[in-house]
Amino acid sequence: MVEFVVPEPDYDRYSNRQLAAVPLAVLALALLVLAGWTLMTGTPVTPGIEFTGGTEIQVATDASQSEVRGSLDFEIDSVQPIAGSNEFIVTTQATDSDAISSAARSAGYEVVSVQSRSASFGADAQRLALIGIGVAFVGMSLLIFALFRTFVPSIAVVASAFSDIIIPLALMNVFGIKLSLGSVAALLMLIGYSVDSDILLNNHILRRRGGFYESTYRAMRTGVTMTVTSIAAMIVMWIVSSLFQIPLLPDLAIVLVFGLVADLMNTYMLNLSLLRWYKYEGVAR
């Protein structure tokens, strides 16, 4: 793997409080966004039809996207064109597929396919998704504590991983991205991405020879290369999957971009400040 030329940061210019202030402020802002969204809507993130129940109907027509939206007499969540064809995917939280198909035919559209999910099935899927994320996070936390066996380095990794999940969730609300199977998969992947970069940094500083800043720079050369490469790959995947209207992939890619950018900040500011405090002040006490 070709490594990027990472300029060596002058960490001596900043105190531990200054380094930690920025990621903690961003995390606090993200938590405020989620809290406000919960007060307004009842959920931290707006769920998609996979979790609320609803119907996806694919129609063929020469009408425009706006004409399709305006001509159907049921409440529409979204109208997505399928690249390279005259077809659209219309999503709605209504679950009566027969009535929806009838309304589409009455509007003059050819119904290509209809998929419906009940509200109870959506609620079960949402509960399983949340349980899956929670179990993955708790399992990761236990593994980290078992690996390092000391509180501060372990809590540094867990705190960074927590922030890597919370910040993308808040940005999903800001940019109007609903919780879907793709975004849930991205959140699960972010736990792994975050742990990789944080363990790399912790191992270089705590278990390898060399000074603190020398070890930090060695870890950054590899860690930043991995993360920036992943960000570039996810941006490309988001562009391509959005252009060709590939299901799930746009949500997965953009949420990963949010989380990986946050991971750069959390790993090399928040995690590093806690490790520096631990090595030079915490251990001495």
Side-chain angles (χ1 to χ4, degrees):
M1 179 176 61
V2 179
E3 292 185 347
F4 291 99
V5 179
V6 179
E8 187 169 358
D10 187 6
Y11 281 114
D12 278 328
R13 295 176 55 189
Y14 307 99
S15 68
N16 291 328
R17 289 184 179 181
Q18 288 174 322
L19 283 175
V22 174
L24 288 177
V26 174
L27 175 59
L29 181 60
L31 288 170
L32 285 175
V33 170
L34 294 178
W37 203 266
T38 302
L39 290 174
M40 290 187 297
T41 66
T43 57
V45 183
T46 304
I49 66 170
E50 295 96 335
F51 303 122
T52 60
T55 301
E56 284 185 353
I57 180 170
Q58 184 173 332
V59 299
T61 176
D62 292 328
S64 67
Q65 185 174 0
S66 59
E67 289 172 339
V68 171
R69 179 180 287 276
S71 62
L72 296 173
D73 60 357
F74 52 83
E75 186 176 350
I76 295 173
D77 281 0
S78 66
V79 178
Q80 298 293 334
I82 298 177
S85 71
N86 63 339
E87 297 178 357
F88 297 87
I89 296 178
V90 181
T91 60
T92 174
Q93 291 190 5
T95 56
D96 189 342
S97 57
D98 292 335
I100 292 169
S101 299
S102 177
R105 293 190 180 94
S106 298
Y109 305 139
E110 177 188 349
V111 176
V112 179
S113 65
V114 181
Q115 292 183 340
S116 184
R117 299 175 180 86
S118 68
S120 60
F121 178 83
D124 289 341
Q126 183 175 2
R127 184 167 55 254
L128 287 173
L130 293 175
I131 291 173
I133 293 174
V135 169
F137 189 84
V138 170
M140 176 274 298
S141 302
L142 294 175
L143 179 63
I144 292 302
F145 277 93
L147 180 64
F148 291 106
R149 300 178 185 276
T150 46
F151 181 76
V152 174
S154 300
I155 203 66
V157 176
V158 174
S160 294
F162 176 75
S163 185
D164 287 349
I165 294 174
I166 295 299
I167 292 173
L169 286 173
L171 289 174
M172 286 170 63
N173 290 332
V174 172
F175 291 99
I177 302 170
K178 294 184 177 181
L179 188 68
S180 64
L181 294 176
S183 56
V184 168
L187 294 172
L188 289 170
M189 293 171 68
L190 279 174
I191 295 175
Y193 273 114
S194 174
V195 168
D196 281 346
S197 58
D198 288 314
I199 288 178
L200 178 69
L201 179 64
N202 285 23
N203 274 332
H204 272 76
I205 290 176
L206 301 176
R207 296 181 174 178
R208 294 195 180 186
R209 295 180 180 177
F212 181 88
Y213 296 111
E214 178 188 356
S215 299
T216 297
Y217 183 60
R218 287 201 306 266
M220 287 184 68
R221 283 187 302 177
T222 303
V224 171
T225 298
M226 291 191 307
T227 304
V228 172
T229 301
S230 299
I231 291 172
M234 291 303 106
I235 290 174
V236 172
M237 187 170 78
W238 176 71
I239 293 172
V240 173
S241 59
S242 297
L243 288 175
F244 290 95
Q245 297 297 317
I246 303 173
L248 300 182
L249 291 186
D251 289 348
L252 184 149
I254 195 63
V255 172
L256 278 175
V257 170
F258 293 156
L260 290 171
V261 172
D263 184 56
L264 286 174
M265 174 185 67
N266 289 320
T267 299
Y268 301 110
M269 294 180 74
L270 178 60
N271 190 0
L272 188 135
S273 67
L274 291 172
L275 288 175
R276 189 169 66 176
W277 175 86
Y278 168 77
K279 190 157 186 178
Y280 292 120
E281 298 180 37
V283 173
R285 294 179 184 176

